[in-house]
Amino acid sequence: MDELNELKKIWNRSFEKEPEAADRKRLLEIISRKSSGPIGKLKKSIRIEIGALIITIPLLIAILFELPEPYFIFNTSMLILAFSGSLIYYFKSLRKLEKTWKESQQNLRQALESTIMLTKFFRKSYFWLNVILFPFGIYFGYIVGFGLGSGGKRVTSLPVFEHMPLFIAILVILVFVMVLFGLFWLFLKYYVRKLYDVHIEKLEEIYKELMEYE
Amino acid sequence: MYCPLDEDCDDLYQDIVAQLWRAWGGFRGEAKISTWIYRVALNTAISGFRKQKRNPLNQSVSTDDLSLSHIDNRAQKEDIELLHMAIGRLTEVEKAMVMLYLDEVSYEEIAAIMGITQNNVRVKMLRIREKLKKIMELY
């Protein structure tokens, strides 16, 4: 270890200069800023989802009063239920994130373990929640949207496709929905990969290296 | 060592200070305060996803930003620059361990900060020594 002791002397020489004290104003600015770490980013993503749902749900409730027919009440209620479920899920995720992160700050191994676990968990649930909500939202949104457009009248034929034979109309809608769903799936895959997968891979590499010889 | 670019460094410094502030409530005084600060700083530096595109894993550190105005001796300055450059070529975990070692942190404390056994620390330090030797011999 002689070489390392020699390096210690060199290392210490580079820090012989007295560090400058940061001024109070700058410190206050720093501590009030939002974290740009992984958990901070996860929290930000969840807060965006929560914000979007908090705006959407009251709008849907307002639509309930606008379209009082039972047919619309059922369809709008389905949307409200789905979105409310997601909202509760996101609130719970946010609390879980904060709790687990606080408990994992004991050492680097635990911090890496919980960052990888939480990020993977959130990435998976974010992906599947969106995949499930998408066709659901399209279907009920279509019915509620046209209900609003037609001044609250029940949709008895398929709007836009009403001049086509029913079989063809259903086929066109199916193809349209499948293409849209495929594009959405690809976009979501790309988005989630760009946002989280690359980082998870890097963190897993670091964790593997850390645990070598354990 | 974890941010070759100036702006990244500033970001990381701010993140660490902010994280220390937030985590302060959780400091129970069971470890030395320096150990606790190292823990938070390393957790933030290593687990953080920041500007990865501009900070690839094996990018070597620039020594231009080292503040060495207090050193007159040219040879000493070169030694310091070489050491920083060599450390910059290590992996994230190796960088953390060697910096802790050079800061006179004991193996026991390094093990506690990293969450691994002391044996693992010893094995890794041996490997780091070999690696640093090779890198420094090249220059």
Side-chain angles (χ1 to χ4, degrees):
Chain A
M1 291 278 159
D2 284 346
E3 297 103 325
L4 282 176
N5 286 332
E6 186 54 38
L7 293 183
K8 258 186 198 174
K9 283 182 203 155
I10 301 174
W11 179 260
N12 289 333
R13 239 177 263 141
S14 57
F15 296 105
E16 274 166 1
K17 199 175 147 191
E18 277 294 305
E20 288 164 26
D23 67 87
R24 192 183 159 81
K25 198 180 154 204
R26 171 136 167 80
L27 280 176
L28 283 174
E29 267 172 26
I30 292 173
I31 57 178
S32 60
R33 88 186 206 136
K34 288 193 172 73
S35 169
S36 66
I39 301 301
K41 283 183 180 169
L42 282 184
K43 280 198 230 165
K44 195 176 161 192
S45 294
I46 296 178
R47 283 195 190 114
I48 290 173
E49 298 287 333
I50 289 176
L53 288 168
I54 283 178
I55 295 169
T56 312
I57 292 169
L59 280 177
L60 287 170
I61 293 171
I63 289 174
L64 271 182
F65 293 101
E66 191 67 27
L67 303 172
E69 210 183 304
Y71 168 78
F72 287 117
I73 289 177
F74 170 76
N75 285 296
T76 314
S77 302
M78 282 289 121
L79 270 181
I80 293 172
L81 265 178
F83 289 158
S84 302
S86 306
L87 186 64
I88 293 167
Y89 173 78
Y90 282 128
F91 267 123
K92 280 191 168 179
S93 298
L94 198 61
R95 281 185 65 185
K96 188 181 170 185
L97 263 180
E98 273 163 6
K99 192 171 170 262
T100 317
W101 181 244
K102 269 184 191 159
E103 286 167 358
S104 71
Q105 288 298 298
Q106 293 304 307
N107 53 51
L108 182 62
R109 179 176 54 83
Q110 284 182 3
L112 283 171
E113 276 169 0
S114 66
T115 308
I116 293 168
M117 188 265 288
L118 288 171
T119 314
K120 273 185 170 175
F121 170 78
F122 179 71
R123 177 198 60 174
K124 206 171 172 181
S125 48
Y126 177 79
F127 182 80
W128 285 108
L129 205 62
N130 274 287
V131 162
I132 293 164
L133 276 183
F134 182 79
F136 193 80
I138 292 270
Y139 171 71
F140 287 104
Y142 178 80
I143 290 174
V144 174
F146 276 102
L148 275 176
S150 64
K153 285 183 200 141
R154 182 179 179 146
V155 183
T156 49
S157 61
L158 295 169
V160 180
F161 303 99
E162 57 200 352
H163 302 301
M164 291 181 193
L166 188 65
F167 173 72
I168 301 289
I170 289 172
L171 206 67
V172 170
I173 290 171
L174 270 177
V175 170
F176 176 71
V177 168
M178 277 167 76
V179 169
L180 208 63
F181 187 65
L183 288 175
F184 179 70
W185 175 283
L186 288 175
F187 166 75
L188 208 60
K189 274 257 173 203
Y190 161 79
Y191 180 69
V192 166
R193 169 149 186 83
K194 190 174 161 56
L195 218 58
Y196 301 112
D197 286 11
V198 182
H199 306 297
I200 292 174
E201 279 163 22
K202 191 189 164 191
L203 291 180
E204 280 178 335
E205 263 175 40
I206 296 174
Y207 181 73
K208 205 174 146 195
E209 190 199 335
L210 185 71
M211 297 313 284
E212 208 183 353
Y213 308 117
E214 272 297 293
Chain B
M1 291 296 167
Y2 286 101
C3 43
L5 296 169
D6 245 5
E7 28 188 315
D8 294 352
C9 249
D10 199 40
D11 258 6
L12 179 57
Y13 166 74
Q14 293 191 28
D15 258 2
I16 290 172
V17 175
Q19 198 54 40
L20 283 169
W21 175 259
R22 287 187 198 109
W24 178 246
F27 176 57
R28 295 189 289 266
E30 288 160 1
K32 282 202 282 187
I33 189 153
S34 57
T35 308
W36 178 77
I37 291 172
Y38 275 126
R39 275 179 196 169
V40 176
L42 276 177
N43 290 352
T44 312
I46 295 182
S47 321
F49 323 153
R50 66 179 56 71
K51 294 173 184 164
Q52 306 280 343
K53 274 184 285 179
R54 296 156 58 204
N55 185 13
L57 197 63
N58 292 320
Q59 188 172 340
S60 60
V61 72
S62 158
T63 49
D64 299 343
D65 303 325
L66 283 174
S67 174
L68 301 175
S69 52
H70 60 292
I71 297 169
D72 299 323
N73 189 318
R74 192 186 158 85
Q76 281 185 356
K77 261 188 191 176
E78 280 175 4
D79 281 348
I80 293 170
E81 284 178 355
L82 182 60
L83 174 63
H84 280 257
M85 186 272 299
I87 295 174
R89 300 207 164 189
L90 298 174
T91 66
E92 312 281 297
V93 173
E94 289 169 344
K95 273 182 207 169
M97 295 191 71
V98 82
M99 285 193 285
L100 289 168
Y101 177 82
L102 294 173
D103 271 346
E104 312 271 355
V105 179
S106 68
Y107 278 6
E108 192 187 350
E109 276 179 281
I110 295 178
I113 291 165
M114 310 289 278
I116 55 178
T117 59
Q118 283 190 54
N119 267 346
N120 195 347
V121 174
R122 275 195 194 92
V123 177
K124 282 190 165 67
M125 280 310 297
L126 278 173
R127 262 194 358 189
I128 293 169
R129 188 184 66 168
E130 292 304 314
K131 220 170 162 180
L132 278 178
K133 207 174 157 186
K134 272 187 196 162
I135 298 171
M136 292 181 89
E137 271 169 8
L138 280 174
Y139 294 90

Short mmCIF file of all heavy atoms in Angstrom, two decimals, chain A residues 14-43:
data_model
loop_
_atom_site.label_atom_id
_atom_site.label_comp_id
_atom_site.label_asym_id
_atom_site.label_seq_id
_atom_site.Cartn_x
_atom_site.Cartn_y
_atom_site.Cartn_z
N SER A 14 -3.66 18.72 -2.88
CA SER A 14 -4.59 19.44 -3.75
C SER A 14 -5.74 20.08 -2.99
O SER A 14 -6.49 20.86 -3.53
CB SER A 14 -5.12 18.52 -4.85
OG SER A 14 -5.74 17.40 -4.30
N PHE A 15 -5.87 19.73 -1.70
CA PHE A 15 -6.97 20.33 -0.91
C PHE A 15 -6.45 21.14 0.27
O PHE A 15 -7.14 21.35 1.26
CB PHE A 15 -7.92 19.23 -0.42
CG PHE A 15 -8.59 18.53 -1.55
CD1 PHE A 15 -8.19 17.24 -1.91
CD2 PHE A 15 -9.58 19.14 -2.28
CE1 PHE A 15 -8.79 16.59 -2.97
CE2 PHE A 15 -10.18 18.48 -3.35
CZ PHE A 15 -9.79 17.21 -3.70
N GLU A 16 -5.19 21.60 0.15
CA GLU A 16 -4.62 22.38 1.26
C GLU A 16 -5.25 23.75 1.38
O GLU A 16 -5.27 24.35 2.44
CB GLU A 16 -3.09 22.52 1.07
CG GLU A 16 -2.33 21.33 1.64
CD GLU A 16 -0.88 21.27 1.17
OE1 GLU A 16 -0.47 22.15 0.40
OE2 GLU A 16 -0.20 20.31 1.57
N LYS A 17 -5.77 24.24 0.25
CA LYS A 17 -6.38 25.58 0.25
C LYS A 17 -7.66 25.55 1.09
O LYS A 17 -8.45 24.63 0.99
CB LYS A 17 -6.72 25.95 -1.18
CG LYS A 17 -6.93 27.41 -1.43
CD LYS A 17 -7.12 27.60 -2.91
CE LYS A 17 -8.08 28.73 -3.17
NZ LYS A 17 -8.47 28.77 -4.57
N GLU A 18 -7.82 26.59 1.93
CA GLU A 18 -9.04 26.69 2.77
C GLU A 18 -10.28 26.83 1.90
O GLU A 18 -10.30 27.66 0.99
CB GLU A 18 -8.94 27.93 3.66
CG GLU A 18 -8.13 27.74 4.94
CD GLU A 18 -8.79 26.77 5.90
OE1 GLU A 18 -9.96 26.99 6.25
OE2 GLU A 18 -8.13 25.78 6.29
N PRO A 19 -11.31 26.03 2.12
CA PRO A 19 -12.50 26.19 1.28
C PRO A 19 -13.24 27.51 1.58
O PRO A 19 -13.20 27.98 2.72
CB PRO A 19 -13.36 24.99 1.68
CG PRO A 19 -12.87 24.58 3.02
CD PRO A 19 -11.43 24.98 3.11
N GLU A 20 -13.82 28.06 0.54
CA GLU A 20 -14.56 29.32 0.75
C GLU A 20 -15.94 28.99 1.31
O GLU A 20 -16.57 28.04 0.86
CB GLU A 20 -14.74 30.04 -0.58
CG GLU A 20 -13.46 30.63 -1.12
CD GLU A 20 -13.59 30.99 -2.59
OE1 GLU A 20 -14.72 31.23 -3.05
OE2 GLU A 20 -12.55 31.02 -3.26
N ALA A 21 -16.36 29.80 2.28
CA ALA A 21 -17.69 29.55 2.86
C ALA A 21 -18.76 30.08 1.91
O ALA A 21 -18.61 31.16 1.34
CB ALA A 21 -17.80 30.27 4.20
N ALA A 22 -19.81 29.28 1.71
CA ALA A 22 -20.88 29.74 0.81
C ALA A 22 -21.73 30.76 1.56
O ALA A 22 -21.90 30.66 2.76
CB ALA A 22 -21.74 28.55 0.43
N ASP A 23 -22.21 31.79 0.81
CA ASP A 23 -22.99 32.78 1.55
C ASP A 23 -24.42 32.28 1.79
O ASP A 23 -24.91 31.38 1.11
CB ASP A 23 -22.96 34.15 0.85
CG ASP A 23 -23.67 34.13 -0.46
OD1 ASP A 23 -24.88 34.36 -0.44
OD2 ASP A 23 -23.03 33.87 -1.49
N ARG A 24 -25.05 32.89 2.79
CA ARG A 24 -26.35 32.45 3.29
C ARG A 24 -27.43 32.44 2.19
O ARG A 24 -28.20 31.50 2.08
CB ARG A 24 -26.74 33.43 4.41
CG ARG A 24 -27.89 32.99 5.24
CD ARG A 24 -28.20 34.09 6.24
NE ARG A 24 -29.56 33.94 6.72
CZ ARG A 24 -29.94 33.12 7.67
NH1 ARG A 24 -29.04 32.37 8.26
NH2 ARG A 24 -31.19 33.01 8.04
N LYS A 25 -27.40 33.50 1.36
CA LYS A 25 -28.42 33.63 0.32
C LYS A 25 -28.34 32.45 -0.66
O LYS A 25 -29.33 31.86 -1.06
CB LYS A 25 -28.21 34.95 -0.42
CG LYS A 25 -29.41 35.40 -1.20
CD LYS A 25 -29.12 36.71 -1.90
CE LYS A 25 -30.01 36.83 -3.11
NZ LYS A 25 -29.49 37.69 -4.14
N ARG A 26 -27.09 32.13 -1.02
CA ARG A 26 -26.88 31.03 -1.99
C ARG A 26 -27.33 29.69 -1.38
O ARG A 26 -27.97 28.89 -2.04
CB ARG A 26 -25.40 30.98 -2.36
CG ARG A 26 -25.00 29.78 -3.17
CD ARG A 26 -24.09 30.16 -4.32
NE ARG A 26 -23.44 28.98 -4.92
CZ ARG A 26 -24.04 28.16 -5.79
NH1 ARG A 26 -25.28 28.38 -6.13
NH2 ARG A 26 -23.39 27.13 -6.29
N LEU A 27 -27.01 29.50 -0.09
CA LEU A 27 -27.42 28.25 0.57
C LEU A 27 -28.94 28.13 0.61
O LEU A 27 -29.48 27.06 0.37
CB LEU A 27 -26.85 28.18 1.98
CG LEU A 27 -25.38 27.73 2.08
CD1 LEU A 27 -24.89 27.79 3.51
CD2 LEU A 27 -25.19 26.32 1.53
N LEU A 28 -29.61 29.25 0.89
CA LEU A 28 -31.07 29.23 0.93
C LEU A 28 -31.66 28.88 -0.43
O LEU A 28 -32.62 28.13 -0.53
CB LEU A 28 -31.61 30.58 1.40
CG LEU A 28 -31.52 30.84 2.90
CD1 LEU A 28 -31.95 32.27 3.24
CD2 LEU A 28 -32.39 29.85 3.68
N GLU A 29 -31.02 29.42 -1.48
CA GLU A 29 -31.46 29.12 -2.85
C GLU A 29 -31.31 27.63 -3.13
O GLU A 29 -32.20 26.98 -3.68
CB GLU A 29 -30.58 29.87 -3.86
CG GLU A 29 -31.13 31.21 -4.29
CD GLU A 29 -30.11 31.96 -5.13
OE1 GLU A 29 -29.25 31.31 -5.77
OE2 GLU A 29 -30.17 33.18 -5.09
N ILE A 30 -30.17 27.08 -2.70
CA ILE A 30 -29.88 25.66 -2.98
C ILE A 30 -30.87 24.75 -2.28
O ILE A 30 -31.42 23.83 -2.88
CB ILE A 30 -28.43 25.31 -2.56
CG1 ILE A 30 -27.43 26.02 -3.49
CG2 ILE A 30 -28.19 23.81 -2.60
CD1 ILE A 30 -25.98 25.87 -3.07
N ILE A 31 -31.08 25.00 -0.98
CA ILE A 31 -31.94 24.06 -0.24
C ILE A 31 -33.41 24.16 -0.64
O ILE A 31 -34.17 23.24 -0.40
CB ILE A 31 -31.78 24.18 1.30
CG1 ILE A 31 -32.09 25.59 1.75
CG2 ILE A 31 -30.42 23.72 1.75
CD1 ILE A 31 -31.99 25.76 3.24
N SER A 32 -33.78 25.28 -1.29
CA SER A 32 -35.19 25.38 -1.68
C SER A 32 -35.42 24.81 -3.07
O SER A 32 -36.54 24.69 -3.53
CB SER A 32 -35.65 26.82 -1.63
OG SER A 32 -34.87 27.58 -2.51
N ARG A 33 -34.34 24.44 -3.76
CA ARG A 33 -34.55 23.95 -5.12
C ARG A 33 -35.01 22.49 -5.10
O ARG A 33 -34.74 21.75 -4.15
CB ARG A 33 -33.29 24.11 -5.96
CG ARG A 33 -32.33 22.97 -5.88
CD ARG A 33 -31.07 23.26 -6.62
NE ARG A 33 -30.48 22.00 -7.04
CZ ARG A 33 -29.98 21.79 -8.23
NH1 ARG A 33 -29.98 22.72 -9.13
NH2 ARG A 33 -29.44 20.63 -8.52
N LYS A 34 -35.65 22.08 -6.18
CA LYS A 34 -36.17 20.72 -6.25
C LYS A 34 -35.05 19.77 -6.67
O LYS A 34 -34.16 20.14 -7.42
CB LYS A 34 -37.32 20.64 -7.24
CG LYS A 34 -38.55 21.31 -6.71
CD LYS A 34 -39.76 20.97 -7.54
CE LYS A 34 -41.01 21.49 -6.90
NZ LYS A 34 -41.14 22.94 -7.02
N SER A 35 -35.10 18.55 -6.15
CA SER A 35 -34.06 17.58 -6.45
C SER A 35 -34.10 17.16 -7.91
O SER A 35 -35.15 17.00 -8.49
CB SER A 35 -34.27 16.36 -5.58
OG SER A 35 -33.45 15.32 -6.03
N SER A 36 -32.91 17.01 -8.51
CA SER A 36 -32.86 16.50 -9.88
C SER A 36 -32.43 15.04 -9.88
O SER A 36 -32.06 14.49 -10.91
CB SER A 36 -31.92 17.35 -10.74
OG SER A 36 -30.60 17.20 -10.28
N GLY A 37 -32.45 14.41 -8.71
CA GLY A 37 -32.08 13.00 -8.60
C GLY A 37 -33.19 12.11 -9.13
O GLY A 37 -34.25 12.58 -9.50
N PRO A 38 -32.95 10.80 -9.16
CA PRO A 38 -33.91 9.87 -9.76
C PRO A 38 -35.26 9.88 -9.06
O PRO A 38 -36.30 9.86 -9.72
CB PRO A 38 -33.24 8.51 -9.60
CG PRO A 38 -32.18 8.68 -8.58
CD PRO A 38 -31.77 10.11 -8.64
N ILE A 39 -35.24 9.89 -7.73
CA ILE A 39 -36.50 9.85 -7.00
C ILE A 39 -37.24 11.18 -7.20
O ILE A 39 -38.46 11.21 -7.34
CB ILE A 39 -36.26 9.53 -5.51
CG1 ILE A 39 -35.55 8.18 -5.37
CG2 ILE A 39 -37.55 9.53 -4.71
CD1 ILE A 39 -36.28 6.98 -5.96
N GLY A 40 -36.49 12.27 -7.27
CA GLY A 40 -37.09 13.58 -7.54
C GLY A 40 -37.81 13.56 -8.88
O GLY A 40 -38.90 14.11 -9.03
N LYS A 41 -37.17 12.91 -9.87
CA LYS A 41 -37.77 12.85 -11.21
C LYS A 41 -39.02 11.97 -11.22
O LYS A 41 -40.00 12.28 -11.87
CB LYS A 41 -36.75 12.33 -12.22
CG LYS A 41 -35.77 13.40 -12.59
CD LYS A 41 -34.82 12.93 -13.64
CE LYS A 41 -33.86 14.08 -13.96
NZ LYS A 41 -32.75 13.65 -14.78
N LEU A 42 -38.94 10.86 -10.47
CA LEU A 42 -40.12 9.99 -10.38
C LEU A 42 -41.28 10.75 -9.76
O LEU A 42 -42.41 10.69 -10.24
CB LEU A 42 -39.82 8.76 -9.51
CG LEU A 42 -39.02 7.63 -10.13
CD1 LEU A 42 -38.91 6.47 -9.16
CD2 LEU A 42 -39.69 7.14 -11.39
N LYS A 43 -40.96 11.48 -8.68
CA LYS A 43 -42.01 12.24 -7.99
C LYS A 43 -42.63 13.27 -8.93
O LYS A 43 -43.84 13.48 -8.94
CB LYS A 43 -41.42 12.95 -6.76
CG LYS A 43 -41.26 12.04 -5.57
CD LYS A 43 -41.11 12.89 -4.34
CE LYS A 43 -39.94 12.48 -3.52
NZ LYS A 43 -39.53 13.44 -2.54
#
